[in-house]
Amino acid sequence: MTSVLLTGFEPFGGERVNPSWQAVSLLTGRRHDTVAVELPCVFSRSLVTLRDAIDEYRPDLVICVGQAGGRPDVTPERVAINLIDARIPDNAGSQPVDVPVIPGGPNAYFTTLPVKACVTGIKDAGLPASVSHTAGTYVCNQVFYGLMHLLDNDFPGVRGGFVHVPYTPEQAARTTAPSLAVHRAAEALEIIVDTALSVTEDLSTPAGTLH
Ligand code: PCA
């Protein structure tokens, strides 16, 4: 049977929850072809945990998920860059600035998820989504880049990518930021899983941005 590894992150930056882990847990709890692993928001440990999970589960598809507080919609990421520039310390107190994720690695990797088909499917279900062209320069981009590097080198044929989800309403209540309920984020993730398992060639509709 096809197997799907989904990862979410532990809370970081003073938050008590991380909607990425909440949504991933909800989805994997009801789908038997999926497993969930929680990644530490720690530069020195996130990729070790991810590699161990891939070695253990040998998935056909890997989707890593993170929180993007302030974004209004679910955003499948298109590009991972070989750069860490941490705006805040990670959960171990480390704040690397201007270092590569993988020394000597290519400058960037593209996702191998059909991100446009995913966004279309999510929007058709009445949920907000758009293609993102930057996963930032913090732990999420590190995990996305590290995932694509690992799959490219050691697991050819395994598809993978990264998705950011907004704050939950509970988190957003303390700010003016937009939010999405965890069960709706989980629905969007399920559409991404199903689309990635069924669509081999992405749509060619425009999904770019002007700036
Ligand atoms: N979001 C952060 C790291 C962990 C998470 O959930 C990011 O976007 O880099």
Side-chain angles (χ1 to χ4, degrees), residues 9-10 12 18 20 41 65-68 135 138-141 162 164:
F9 276 99
E10 67 182 1
F12 71 104
N18 190 317
S20 65
C41 190
V65 185
Q67 162 193 310
Y138 194 52
V139 184
C140 287
N141 175 71
F162 197 97
H164 269 116

Side-chain angles (χ1 to χ4, degrees), residues 19 22 166-175 177-184:
Q22 293 177 302
Y167 278 146
T168 65
E170 296 77 11
Q171 289 177 295
R174 296 192 310 275
T175 73
S179 66
L180 187 67
V182 167
H183 73 279
R184 305 311 309 265

Side-chain angles (χ1 to χ4, degrees), residues 153-167:
N153 284 284
D154 297 349
F155 299 93
V158 176
R159 276 182 126 176
F162 197 97
V163 180
H164 269 116
V165 293
Y167 278 146

Side-chain angles (χ1 to χ4, degrees), residues 1-35:
M1 190 174 73
T2 322
S3 79
V4 184
L5 171 65
L6 287 148
T7 72
F9 276 99
E10 67 182 1
F12 71 104
E15 296 287 340
R16 285 202 310 273
V17 296
N18 190 317
S20 65
W21 177 241
Q22 293 177 302
V24 161
S25 310
L26 199 59
L27 175 56
T28 56
R30 62 173 189 244
R31 256 187 89 133
H32 299 304
D33 58 343
T34 63
V35 287

Side-chain angles (χ1 to χ4, degrees), residues 22-177:
Q22 293 177 302
V24 161
S25 310
L26 199 59
L27 175 56
T28 56
R30 62 173 189 244
R31 256 187 89 133
H32 299 304
D33 58 343
T34 63
V35 287
V37 168
E38 187 179 33
L39 300 183
C41 190
V42 175
F43 285 106
S44 62
R45 290 177 42 223
S46 54
L47 287 177
V48 179
T49 309
L50 177 64
R51 182 185 249 288
D52 286 350
I54 293 173
D55 280 340
E56 183 179 349
Y57 295 113
R58 297 287 162 154
D60 304 295
L61 171 66
V62 185
I63 299 175
C64 298
V65 185
Q67 162 193 310
R71 285 199 189 168
D73 55 356
V74 174
T75 45
E77 297 291 346
R78 204 163 186 188
V79 194
I81 58 174
N82 195 11
L83 175 69
I84 296 171
D85 186 352
R87 190 171 55 79
I88 56 172
D90 69 11
N91 283 355
S94 164
Q95 189 173 4
V97 169
D98 293 352
V99 296
V101 177
I102 309 273
N107 286 340
Y109 283 102
F110 287 120
T111 186
T112 49
L113 302 181
V115 285
K116 294 182 176 183
C118 290
V119 164
T120 300
I122 296 168
K123 289 167 81 167
D124 285 350
L127 293 163
S130 61
V131 174
S132 165
H133 296 85
T134 173
T137 56
Y138 194 52
V139 184
C140 287
N141 175 71
Q142 182 214 24
V143 160
F144 182 21
Y145 183 93
L147 168 68
M148 300 318 296
H149 188 75
L150 183 63
L151 297 183
D152 195 51
N153 284 284
D154 297 349
F155 299 93
V158 176
R159 276 182 126 176
F162 197 97
V163 180
H164 269 116
V165 293
Y167 278 146
T168 65
E170 296 77 11
Q171 289 177 295
R174 296 192 310 275
T175 73
T176 54

